[in-house]
Each structure stands twice: as structure tokens, then as C-alpha cells.
Amino acid sequence: MATEDKNRATAAAILPLVGGAANVSSIAHCMTRLRLGLHDRSLVDDEALKAVPAVMGVVEDDTYQIVLGPGTVARVTPEFEQLVEEGRAAVPDPDEAAPSVSAEELAAQGAAMKAARKTKNATPFKLFLRRIANIFVPLIPALIGCGIIAGLNGLLVNLGWLTSVTPALAAMASGFMALIAVFVGYNTAKEFGGTPILGGAVAAIIVFPGVANIEAFGQKLSPGQGGVLGALGAAVLAVYVEKWCRRWVPEALDVLVTPTLTVLVSGLVTIFGLMYVAGEVSTAIGTFADWLLSNGGAGAGFVLGGLFLPLVMLGLHQALIPIHTTLIEQQGYTVLLPILAMAGAGQVGAAAAVYFRLPRNESIRRTIKSALPAGLLGVGEPLIYGVSLPLGRPFITACVGGAFGGGFIGLFNQLGDKVGSTAIGPSGWALFPLLDGNHGLGTTAAIYAGGLLVGYFAGFLATYFFGFSKDLLTEFNVSQEPAESTVAATGGPTTPDTPSKEPAGV
């Protein structure tokens, strides 16, 4: 089957299982998940979705998230969007049986469920972090592409190869980072309900070379001072100024006055306030990260690597995105990401231990075999939601594995061997092309590989010896046919009708 047909077939299989085109209110995707806004959650068939071959799992948060994996999700999403558009354009069949409830009752029911779900998840802090993620996540593909080109260019420069090409590669790798503040400003204004191009225009002031001629707080400004944090603050301010103008400026003058006042007011505040303040904050972040790993070393790495999986489960990892981006702006790489990536290594080791500890549970072993390659490449959702989290203890022992892997890399940072990543997003083996440090690519890659191995072995040993109680082994180490009981989201057996593809629910 052609790739296009395969992606369309996957989208076509998913659509009716989420209630059809009429039930889809929004469509988006991140690195691994198709994220859907749904009118009525009760119309979704979770178990049938998990049985779709391309689906690795499902997660419910503020949106309904279908885990498809990197690459696949970017190809399936356009096909899904097209099918939804076609479905909405289709004329309803007038001969269809009338629903058992009125349209108003159904809409009210769906709205009530949606409101209850949003109330549960929509704490102010989580909503703020979600907005931050919506600003930075769209930038990740460019960060990855430019980061890999930067790594390739560094390798060629060190080897003395293709000297006529390396300047061009350096321009490709650095161009985006030189203007990243503009993209952050654009996305910020869009996310906060302003005019995106005005947010980009105000943020562009930060990277304009002419600011070097301006003094603020008794100091000369430097182009780029404040970085992405300054751009974010400037764009948010621009949104509020723009909204004030829309409310008070007469319509006849709006097209002239509103954009002018927005850029003027927020631009002046940015130049004579935000750039300096955000620059100090950015410098403090870099200084603290260096101090933490230089002095805390193994201890800091142990804590960071061990806590990252719980942070992901709570959605709090999104707060780290602007910190990573700031470090990449300042130092060329983020020293935090390789440490946090060890959480995935612990997860892989824990899954391998589960595989050996449950030799009779064909269903769980099949899930592990299918999800392990993705886990090695840093896509942990299938192993988290399909294996370790539903079982309980293996999730904790996976965190232990991540802690030891993080401690290993943290120790080398303390000894002076920095290990960093030139972009955010990838993890596991997929992070190797993005590695950078202060002692050459070979040393950096060796330390990172050592951290992965420590994470694998620590996660395996912790899970093998401490991940199962006697009762848990008795309950799950049982022979079963594909249609027989599997692990449910609660950690207990489900009915015989549960599909065997996904032994643990989400």
C-alpha cells in the first residue's frame, strides 16, 4: 500500500471512532500525538481506537490525544483534516432515524461533559503552561532542523572538510536562532488573541542591530538582549495595548491609530524596560543551570532525571520549554535536555524487565515488543500508558532508572564535561545528531551513551527486583489468548472483550 493511502486509511479508521466529523471541534498535532477537540466525549470508542494498527495509545487531557508517533502524526493529520472537511460538507441523509434525544438535549449533554472535563484540568497554572507550550512547540521542527545542521557543520569544521560549504551551513544553522525572538513574538500574539504580525514587529525590536546605540538603566543595550523571554513579554504587552486601542479608538481611525500605538507604546516599554529585565532573567537562568550542574552534579542530575516522568504526567514539563530555548540562545545548547532524556532510558529498562518478569502474559509482551523501538528513539508514551503506569510499581522503578542515568550525566557535568543538545524535542537515540558540548563530539556522545546505558540497566534492575509484588505477579503472570483479559487502566483485569493489542488502557 502506498504511503499516502496508508495514512489516509489510518485517518479514515480513526474518524468514525471519535464520533465522526460532526463531533470534531478542533484538530492539531504535536511531535507524536493527534490532538482533537471533541463536542461529545461519550461518542468516542477508546478500545476500538487502541486496536487501530497505527495507534500506539490514547490520552485524555484538555484535548483527546491519539498517540501515532513521530513522522506518522505529521502525515496522518492532513488526511484527517481533509476527511473532516469532507464529512462536514456532506449533506445529511434525511431518511436517517431520528435520535432518541433532541439535538438541544444532546448538545447540552456534550457541553456539560466538556465543561466538567475542562474544569477538572483547567487550573490557572496549567492553562498558563499550555499557552507557553502552544507558543514554543510550533518552533520545534525548525530548532531540530537547524540543530542537526549545526552539528553537521561543527563536525565538518573539526575535520577540516568542505571548507567552502561550512560557512553556508553555519548561516543555515544560525539564521533561525538569530530571529527566533520574532517567531516567539508572532506566536505569542496569536495565542493571546492579538494580531500576530504586531507581536512579531514588537519582538523584532529586540534583535534589531540599531538597539546597540540605545542606553537603558545606564547601560548600552545589545541586539538580542532579553532573548525569547523579552520577546514573549513584549508581545503580551502588545496584545493588551492593541485590545485597549480596539476598545477606545473610533472605527474610522482604527486602521491607522491601533497598530501605530501598539508598536509605539509596547516598543518603548520593551526598549527601556523589558530588554534589560528579561536580559537579567535570561542571564540568571544560564548562570543557575551552570551552577546547579557544576556544584550539584550527580545529585542534581539524579533529581532531574528521576522527576521528569512525573512532571510529564502532570503536564508541568511545559514550563521547561522557554528555559531550554533560553539556554540554546545563550550557550548554543541546553545542558538540561540530555539529563531529562534519561527518564526515557529508565522507561525502556523498566519495560524490558516487565517483559522478562511476565513470561506468560503474551498480551503485555506483545505491547512491549511493538513499543520498544519507539521507546529507544525517545517516544515513551506507548510504554508509559501501555505498560508501566497501569502496572503502578514499574512506573516508579522506571523513574529510578531515569534518576541514575541523569546522575551519571550530571556527574560528568560537575567534572567539567558538559553534555548539551542544540534543539529540543527528540530524546533517546534520536538525540545523538543534536548533541554538543565543551569537549568535542566524541566525548559528548560517549557520555550521553553511557547515561543511556546506566538508565537502561538501572531501570531494568530496579523493576526486575522491586517492580512487582507477589500479588501483582500472581495477577498478571498468567497465560492468555489474544482475546482474553488484559490490563486495564486501573491496573486490574478487564473483560474478555478488551482488544489484545493494548493490554493497558490509557
Side-chain angles (χ1 to χ4, degrees):
M1 183 185 289
T3 302
E4 293 81 3
D5 294 338
K6 180 181 178 182
N7 294 329
R8 190 168 184 84
T10 299
I14 291 173
L15 183 57
L17 300 178
V18 295
N23 194 40
V24 179
S25 61
S26 65
I27 304 170
H29 75 86
C30 60
M31 292 289 292
T32 59
R33 305 178 188 181
L34 173 63
R35 297 171 179 258
L36 304 178
L38 301 174
H39 294 297
D40 187 350
R41 171 67 179 82
S42 66
L43 297 179
V44 178
D45 190 337
D46 295 302
E47 298 303 330
L49 266 174
K50 295 174 197 173
V52 174
V55 174
M56 298 177 175
V58 295
V59 181
E60 187 171 1
D61 194 9
D62 61 314
T63 56
Y64 190 79
Q65 303 168 17
I66 302 171
V67 183
L68 298 172
T72 301
V73 70
R75 292 168 174 79
V76 171
T77 300
E79 301 289 348
F80 187 84
E81 288 174 334
Q82 186 176 347
L83 288 174
V84 169
E85 288 178 8
E86 293 171 359
R88 288 172 178 168
V91 179
D93 185 356
D95 297 326
E96 284 184 342
S100 57
V101 295
S102 68
E104 291 80 5
E105 290 173 331
L106 189 60
Q109 180 186 3
M113 293 177 65
K114 186 175 181 181
R117 190 168 64 251
K118 280 194 171 183
T119 301
K120 179 181 177 182
N121 294 315
T123 63
F125 186 58
K126 280 194 173 183
L127 288 175
F128 172 74
L129 293 182
R130 200 165 291 131
R131 281 189 158 183
I132 295 297
N134 291 341
I135 292 166
F136 286 93
V137 167
L139 306 179
I140 289 178
L143 284 168
I144 293 173
C146 295
I148 291 177
I149 292 173
L152 174 62
N153 184 61
L155 180 63
L156 292 175
V157 168
N158 290 336
L159 295 174
W161 295 354
L162 301 176
T163 53
S164 61
V165 176
T166 50
L169 292 177
M172 296 176 200
S174 304
F176 173 74
M177 288 306 302
L179 297 174
I180 190 172
V182 179
F183 295 99
V184 169
Y186 184 96
N187 286 350
T188 300
K190 182 179 179 181
E191 178 64 25
F192 281 84
T195 302
I197 198 66
L198 291 179
V202 174
I205 297 169
I206 292 173
V207 295
F208 177 60
V211 298
N213 301 319
I214 302 171
E215 275 194 18
F217 296 95
Q219 298 180 13
K220 286 273 189 181
L221 295 176
S222 58
Q225 185 173 339
V228 295
L229 297 182
L232 195 155
V236 170
L237 176 62
V239 169
Y240 281 102
V241 173
E242 181 189 359
K243 288 181 177 179
W244 183 90
C245 290
R246 300 286 185 202
R247 191 163 58 247
W248 294 104
V249 173
E251 289 185 9
L253 300 175
D254 181 72
V255 69
L256 296 174
V257 175
T258 297
T260 304
L261 283 180
T262 298
V263 175
L264 180 63
V265 173
S266 52
L268 287 172
V269 174
T270 298
I271 292 171
F272 293 106
L274 282 177
M275 284 186 67
Y276 176 82
V277 173
E280 294 298 304
V281 173
S282 298
T283 301
I285 289 174
T287 302
F288 177 72
D290 287 339
W291 176 87
L292 180 66
L293 294 179
S294 297
N295 294 277
F302 189 91
V303 173
L304 291 171
L307 291 181
F308 188 61
L309 281 180
L311 286 178
V312 172
M313 297 303 305
L314 295 172
L316 300 180
H317 65 297
Q318 296 167 343
L320 298 171
I321 296 176
I323 296 176
H324 287 310
T325 310
T326 298
L327 291 174
I328 292 171
E329 261 193 323
Q330 287 184 340
Q331 304 175 1
Y333 51 81
T334 167
V335 292
L336 297 179
L337 186 59
I339 291 175
L340 301 177
M342 295 302 106
Q347 189 66 233
V348 168
V354 172
Y355 184 88
F356 286 105
R357 288 291 270 163
L358 302 180
R360 297 177 184 174
N361 194 316
E362 299 91 348
S363 182
I364 289 182
R365 286 163 66 91
R366 269 195 307 274
T367 298
I368 294 172
K369 282 194 289 187
S370 64
L372 206 55
L376 290 169
L377 292 173
V379 182
E381 287 98 334
L383 291 176
I384 294 173
Y385 295 110
V387 181
S388 65
L389 187 61
L391 289 173
R393 275 199 193 182
F395 179 77
I396 298 173
T397 52
C399 294
V400 172
F404 276 96
F408 180 87
I409 294 184
L411 175 62
F412 277 90
N413 270 277
Q414 188 174 10
L415 296 175
D417 293 304
K418 290 186 178 180
V419 179
S421 170
T422 57
I424 56 177
S427 183
W429 294 1
L431 196 62
F432 275 105
L434 296 170
L435 291 177
D436 197 1
N438 60 343
H439 283 141
L441 183 58
T443 301
T444 302
I447 295 172
Y448 180 71
L452 287 177
L453 292 175
V454 170
Y456 294 152
F457 281 110
F460 180 90
L461 294 174
T463 305
Y464 193 90
F465 291 106
F466 306 106
F468 289 89
S469 64
K470 215 175 260 187
D471 291 340
L472 201 63
L473 275 177
T474 302
E475 182 177 357
F476 292 113
N477 191 26
V478 291
S479 180
Q480 46 181 280
E481 295 300 322
E484 289 180 1
S485 65
T486 55
V487 181
T490 58
T494 65
T495 65
D497 295 329
T498 305
S500 61
K501 175 184 174 293
E502 190 73 32
V506 178

